[in-house]
Each structure stands twice: as C-alpha cells, then as structure tokens.
Amino acid sequence: MSGSIRDREAILREDYDAVGVAKNYSGARWTETQHARRTHRIEHAWAKRFLRWAGPLGIILDLPCGTGRFSRLLQTHAPKLLQVDQSEAMLGQMSGPRAQGAISRIPLANDSVDLAFCFRLLHHFPESVQRKEALSELARVSRRWVIASYFDRSCFQAWRHRVRGRKSNRFPQSRKTFQDEAELAGLRVVREGFIARGISEQVVVLLEKMECSDGVFKPFVQTETSSVEKRTLSNGQSHFVKRYDFPKPLRRLEAAFRHTWRSPSRAEREFLNLQKMRELGISVVQPIDWWERRDSFGFVRESWLATEAVEAPDLDTYLQAGNQPSTAYFHALVESVRAISQAGILYRGLRARNVLVTDNGPVWLDPAKASFQQNPQSVALTNEKEFREEIRRLGLD
Ligand SMILES: C[S@@+](CC[C@H](N)C(=O)[O-])C[C@H]1O[C@@H](n2cnc3c(N)ncnc32)[C@H](O)[C@@H]1O
C-alpha cells in the first residue's frame, strides 16, 4: 500500500466518483436500515454536543462534506459554513455553496475557520503518515477546534472483521495511536463520543489545537470550577466566554445545593438576568449565548456563558492599581444602583469586582444570583445596604 496521501486520495476520488456511489450515499445509505438510521442519529447527537461545547463559532469548515449530511446541523451553529469535498459526484448530490478540494491541501489560509469538521474520512487512510498529514491540515486552517471521527480497533465490530479476514477499505486504529497522531499534528483530544462503546468502531472526537499564535486560549480568570477567556473568532468578532465545570462528583453535589440541581444552571441564570436587565435599561454586558450539560441525575457537569468583550478593568482592580474613579463615574454608579432597585432587582453581588470602569460609565456583570422581586422598597433597602458596605470597604464613602 502506498504511503503517500496524494496516491490514496486518487483512489478515494475514483471510488466516490464511481457511477451510483454518490446517489446511493445521499439516498439509501443513511435511511435504508434501522442500524444506519440509528448510527446517523447518534453521530448527529455527538456532533451537536461537541459543537455546543466548543462555544460560539463564526465559520465552520465541513471537509469532507460528502452529500451535505451535516449541512443543516452545522448551519445552525455558525453564521458561515464552508463545504469542501474532493468528489465531484458527491458534491453534485447536494445544494448550496460548495467547493472541490482535497484534505492534503485545503484551499484555505491558516487559522481561517473556527472549527474544522471532518466526519468519516480518517478511517479511509491506512497509513499513520497519511492521517497525520490530514490532521495537520485541519489544525492548520482551524483557529482552535476540530471535530473528527475515526474507527477504533479495540471493539467487537473490528475484531469480527479481523477474524473473518474480510478485505475492507476501512482502517481502524487504536485510541492511543489516534491520540499520538493527533498530538503530532498539534491537537489534543478534549472529548470522545462512541456510537456503541466496545461494539461499534466509530468514535467521534472533539480536538483542540495545543498552541495558538495570538494566545486566545489562555483564560485570564481560572478557578477550580470556572474560567474566563477572551475569544476572537475568524470573522473578527470578540467575546468573553465564562465556563463553569464541575468534573468532581463532590463539587457537583456542593454546587447542586447552591444553584444547579434541577434548576437553571448558573450560565442560564446569568444569561437570562443579563437579558432582562438590558431590557430594563440597566447597564450590563450584552449576553450572546449559553449552554449546559447535565448528568443523568440532573446535576450540571459543565456550562458556559458568552458575552460581549468589554475591555475594561473592574472597579476593585482599578482601585488596587492606584486609580481614582471620576466624580461623574461615581455619580453614575450610585444612579445605576438606584435604577437596579427601582426595577425590583435584588442583585446579590453589588461588589466592586462586579462592575467595570469604562469610558461610558459603570457596566455591571455576573448577576447569576440576582432575582426579580415584587417589592422595590425592600429590594432597595437590601441593595443599598450591600452597596454601602462595599463603598465603606473600599474607603470611598
Ligand atoms: C463516507 S463519506 C463522508 C461524507 C460526510 N462527511 C458524511 O459523514 O456524510 C467520505 C467522503 O470523503 C470524501 N473524500 C475522500 N477522500 C478525500 C480527500 N482526500 N479529501 C477530501 N475529501 C475526500 C469523499 O469524496 C466522500 O465524500
């Protein structure tokens, strides 16, 4: 078998351009049997989960797009979708913008998409060097994320093929080999999804680039259960993504008693509160999106909230750096606390670390614990007590 990816590509092009193959792929292939329909459904579920996990996206590349099996799903996760495949016949079976191109030389510049989606291709490459080349190309064009699938050799399906000695053009590999190859291509495995663990060969993976030239991956806030980082998408948009993660059961249990069990996650609560406050004319950061994943008991495993990126220090940091807020800022701050109370919002977090010092005045953030109450008078008393204590602590009274 030839070691060159180009030679292998030529064989695959012939295979997929052969009469009837593309038509069958877009028609019967994924609908004919119950098994195929189930696989198709589970593949979509994993892809959807990983797309959400990755956070807001600007541009997605689907390569190979085949006959557009994932087009609809991918379109709902990014405003722009690029679809590329090397087979003219396969592309001929789908509609919408698409381009012909091979994975060995993706016709895109470095870091030009936010996520590269590569489903059901890697198992067609028998040689490690070919898979590494393919993964390196995906890593080159993506700013950060890759979703790929490969065939795992340590499962019943692969074992049965080996025992039967059936010749096939699908080449399973071990999970370790896949991880090593991904690493050599500059990618690390973040999440794995199985169609049927131990039985079916297909594994879906979310990969993340290990290095990024402009350093957007480094969180500027990192605690045991949360991190905040600035993301700049390939379309130039920037925002902050706050991620809450409860990997340990004890932390999940503890968080459950505070806010997450069977009630909205922190990310959802924060998103909805920010939205409502903006509607009421309160100066808070603009929320963009949120997402959560729960375990089967209803505990939140992870969630994230994306907001606009306001590049300004919080009041605490501002004061600690030896700055004094202007009188106009201070008046606006007092006014904003009054407006919050008048709107009947019990903020539960009127702290200097939760308000930004911007050229346009104070901008509040982190209202995850805020609640909307009926009685503005009692709300005002609690808010003002909290705010006064904070002012005293800061020595601004
Ligand atoms: C099994 S289909 C998968 C299509 C789609 N990703 C899906 O899951 O429905 C494999 C696709 O890979 C394409 N392909 C094979 N080798 C390729 C290469 N080197 N570069 C780009 N596309 C390739 C084929 O033309 C075919 O459309």
Side-chain angles (χ1 to χ4, degrees), residues 29-41:
R29 171 67 179 91
W30 295 106
T31 52
E32 208 168 34
T33 65
Q34 202 182 354
H35 175 72
R37 287 194 295 275
R38 182 175 169 275
T39 305
H40 175 76
R41 208 173 47 243

Side-chain angles (χ1 to χ4, degrees), residues 55-71:
L57 303 164
I59 307 176
I60 296 179
L61 165 70
D62 182 9
L63 191 162
C65 61
T67 56
R69 190 162 67 99
F70 287 95
S71 304

